[in-house]
Each structure stands twice: as structure tokens, then as C-alpha cells.
Amino acid sequence: MSLDALYQEIILEHNRKPRNFREMPDANRKVEGHNPLCGDQVTLWLRVDGDRVVDVSFQGLGCAISKASASMMTAAVKGKTVAEAKALADEILAMLIGKLDVEKERQALGSLAALSGVSKFPQRVKCASMAWHALETALDESNPEGAAPEPAR
Amino acid sequence: MTTLKAVAQAQAALASRRADFPLLVKFPELHYLDSAATAQKPAAVLDAMREYYETDYANPHRGAYDLSARSTERYERARKRVAKFLGVRDADTLIFTRGTTESLNLVATAWGRAKVKSGDEIVVTGMEHHANFVPWQQLAIAQGADLRICELTEDGRIDLDRLRALVTPKTRVVAFSHVSNALGTINPVRDIAAVARKVGALVVCDGAQAAPHLALDLDALGVDFYAFSGHKMLGPMGIGVLVGRREILEFMPPYQMGGDMIEFVYDETSTWNVLPHKFEAGTPNVAGAVGLAAACDYLDAIGMAAVRAHEQMLLELAHKMLGEIPGVRIYGPAAVADKSGVVSFTLEGVHPHDLATILDEDGVCVRAGHHCAQPLMRRLKVPATARASVYVYTTAEDVEALGRGVERARGMFG
């Protein structure tokens, strides 16, 4: 597996210019994700209006893979319903561990397919999945609005 | 002149040293630069362990039969061998443990719970590995003591002036690393010990990154406890050492209870075995000790001065190559003479994790992350660094591959 599959141009581009990279003062969901192994961390903000994710943003410290994955996630999720966003998170998390037929889904995945290269680099899967796990937590209704869950110890 | 000649000969021998390391022979394309995490093993160490299992293996200290006696003899001979390597005359003050982490936990628990009281102070430094930080932090919490952290200089050294100001008559222990695992800084052990001794504090030194690389004379070093791991100095995983001052070890209550560490066990109470057995509960790791003794033989055959000279040459090269790459920042002392074994660095615009993945593509193994030193990373104001570390089998070619890989990463992300 070559490095080019991991560091595709679109990933490098999102790393250079991450989308929705800002705090969100009027967010009604906020979640902290972190990867204790490497010290990467992400803060994810969502504004959910009814059943729709009307705005999503993030900030954090991390490698190119984690940053690009978070950036692409925010761009993909904004405007989706909560159910659609949850389904997408399931799909991407499966893709990251090689459990999705990327060729079959390529059209639906669009640019997110670029993240599939991660599945061949087991040490980097956590980098790419961090933002999507944070999204899952943020969309979980049992997670109180605005409250960041304690990171696992 | 003869000394210079000897060093030159030793260096020539080091060039072909890779042949002694089966894993490096099996993977000739590998550039293993993570020896600070663990060292590769020479065949001599692996052979010694196998020979023990095939010749003298039984549970030591137990059987009345000859085979058990031979196993005991192998274990105690290994202890004497390691003690000699360290400059420790009283081999019974050398406790075998699982590694540095267990050694330090032993002191923090057995000594700490007995001696540290509410209102006392514990001093550590801002560069400690979690193994020499968290046990003291948790001891402080349990006993109601105050954990005080000595800040560092800009170039990653223990600030002795700050240390002098931090240590008070209430200080019961000063715990610090001999060599920083994340920066490579060689700390002035005698100076630090003198500051601690002035107020009667216990001196605990984490030698995990020093014992593999520096000639040691522990009896003259002025510390009360010294801890290290076998696996970082060519020995196997799962064996480590704690050397302590006899009068302190004799006072200290045991750390773990069980077989071997007792003298008499009554229904209501027990009495403890003599040193070193009092601190070695349960069946010991004899093969590990035998392997570590073989590692000491291997290192002594090279000579620790030659080991140091070889590593200094490699660090000079690494500093020079990395220093010429725009955007590279090296952490820790600028002078290679003040360091041992490690080059910790970042490349602007490229996260250390991405760098490590790109280097791995060329077979260059480096560590990327916080190096189990999160308090230090916060002080450096970086989430992570990349760390390349060298040892007796590392070649100039390994370091050159690192330089090429970092250049490549810069190109990819530029």
C-alpha cells in the first residue's frame, strides 16, 4: 500500500485548509474527542434544529489524517438530518476498518472515499475515526445538550 | 594515543555489529531508530536464555535436588554479574523487578507509604516519564503530601536554581531521571543528589535511558535508589533492576507478599526473608536475569566508552542532517555532548504522526507522540514530537535514511 493512497491530494488540501474550523458560540451540542496514544484532540460543535444538523464545526490538534477527516466530516454532515448523519457515521467507520465495499459506494461517498486508504494503515485508523466517533456521541440523544462527556480514563 | 587507537578499533567493530542481531539480519532494509523504546537483541542474549532453559531450568530457591540448585546458582550469578556492570559491590542490594516501572512503584509504595506523611513534600521534575511521575503524584494524593514539580530551562535541562528553591526541609524525596527519555538530556545526578541530601531527602533516580548508554558507578553516584529496565539495554523484556541502599532496603516493608519473600508464616503474622529476597515475591524471572547478564557481557565486550563514542557520532550526524532541513526544530540541549541516545524533533506543518508514517514507508522506525511524558509535552507546548534514538547497532546509514525521509515528508506536505 503506497503512501499516496493515504495522503491523497484532497486529504492534504483539507489538512492545509480545514473547513468549519472554528468555535460555535450558539452550538447546542459539544463533544471532546481524544486519542490518548498520540495526544490528538478534537472539539466538535453542533447546532441541531429539530431533526436537522444545521451547523457543525471543530477545532483541535492533530495529524493530517485526523484533521482532514474532521474537516470532511463537517462538510458532509452539515444540512443532513440526524438519522442521515448517524447512518453516514456508521458507514465511514466501517470503511475505515475495511468493512465497506468502497467501489460499490464510491458515487454515494463522493470525496469521503479518499479516507478509505486509512484502512491499510492500522496504526492510523484511530486518527481518522476520532471525529466520527465524536459525531456519534454528539448525535446521541442521551448525551445532554452542550455537556461534554468525560474522556475515558 | 593507545586510547584513541582503541576507540577507533572499537568503532570499526561497531560497523559490523549488526550481524550479531538476528532481527536486523532478517530485515536488512530496516532502519530501527526506536531503541529508547526498546533495544533489539543480540544472539548472545537469546542463546544464553535458551541455554539456561535447556540446561539448568527448574524453580530456584525451592527444590532440594541438584537441578533446582543449579537454577538458583544461575539466578544469583546473574545478579552478581549485573551488579558488577553497575559498579554495585553489595549484590544483595540489587532487586530484580519487571522493569523500571515496577522498580519505581516499589519505592513509591513500600518506602513512600511508610515515610511520607501529610504536609510533606515530594519533588519531581517537569521532564519525567510517567513511570517516575504518576507513582509520586498518587503517593502525594494518598498521603496528603504536596507534589512539587521542578521546571526546566529553555533547552530542556533541570533548572538547578529552581530545584534549590523548591527543595525545603519538608521535602522527603527527590525523584528524577538520569537521562530524559523524550529529550536525551543527561542530568547532573551528583548535583541534584547534593541538593536533596542537604535536607535529608531520599534520592531516587530513573536510569532507564542511562544504564544502556553510560558507564555507571552506582556506589559512587550518590543516589539512594536507581531503577532501570533490561529490555532497553539488549536484555529481554520483563526483567528490570532496582538498586537501593542497604540500610533503607532493610528498614522498608515488603512491596508484594507471597512465596520466597517470607521467613516464617504464622497464622497471625509473618516475618520477612533477607535481602534481596524480601522484595522478590513469587517465582522470579530467572531466564530474564540470565539474558540481562549476557547483555552486560555483550556491552562490556564493546566497552561503555566505545558505546558512548559511537552514539555521540550518530547524534552529531543526526543533529547536522536535521538541522539543515528548513522547518525542523530539535528539542533539548543543543550540544550533543550533553545528550544521550535521543533526538526529539518536529517538522513545521507536518504532525509527528504523519511524519512517522511517511518514514515507516522507507523502513525508518521512529516514535511519534508524547513519549509517556505528557507533563513535559505541555511544558514544550507541543502535542507530540518525533523521536529518533540510537544504540550500538545503529549505523550512519540509518541516520541518513532518517534525514532523507524527513526531506520527503517536507516535500509531500510543502
Side-chain angles (χ1 to χ4, degrees), chain B residues 91-173:
Chain B
D92 289 343
T93 62
L94 188 155
I95 318 289
F96 281 123
T97 63
R98 276 197 301 130
T100 311
T101 299
E102 189 177 61
S103 296
L104 294 168
N105 274 277
L106 192 164
V107 180
T109 304
W111 181 89
R113 299 282 166 118
K115 283 290 192 181
V116 175
K117 303 277 183 290
S118 174
D120 286 347
E121 293 164 0
I122 297 169
V123 172
V124 297
T125 86
M127 69 165 72
E128 297 313 307
H129 187 286
H130 296 159
N132 200 29
F133 190 93
V134 183
W136 302 113
Q137 177 193 60
Q138 294 302 310
L139 174 68
I141 292 169
Q143 306 298 98
D146 183 16
L147 183 75
R148 313 187 88 188
I149 303 168
C150 182
E151 296 301 332
L152 310 177
T153 61
E154 275 296 302
D155 62 344
R157 298 162 198 269
I158 292 170
D159 189 329
L160 282 174
D161 288 336
R162 280 176 170 153
L163 184 72
R164 284 187 198 98
L166 210 58
V167 170
T168 76
K170 283 192 200 164
T171 304
R172 303 309 313 266
V173 53

Side-chain angles (χ1 to χ4, degrees), chain A residues 1-3 6-7 12 15-16 36-40 61-65 121 123-124 127, chain B residues 349 351 353-361 367-370 374 383-384 408 412-414:
Chain A
M1 195 66 189
S2 86
L3 275 181
L6 183 63
Y7 294 109
L12 295 175
N15 176 49
R16 273 192 299 268
L37 273 181
C38 54
D40 288 356
L61 297 165
C63 62
I65 303 299
F121 291 82
Q123 304 94 322
R124 305 305 301 278
C127 309
Chain B
H351 191 281
H353 246 194
D354 297 310
L355 185 57
T357 296
I358 294 163
L359 290 169
D360 188 36
E361 184 84 348
R367 175 92 185 261
H370 53 58
Q374 289 177 13
R408 181 179 174 201
M412 275 179 69
F413 279 75

Side-chain angles (χ1 to χ4, degrees), chain B residues 324-345:
Chain B
E324 284 169 1
I325 300 171
V328 167
R329 179 170 172 201
I330 296 174
Y331 296 84
V336 164
D338 299 337
K339 301 183 23 158
S340 171
V342 165
V343 183
S344 201
F345 65 99

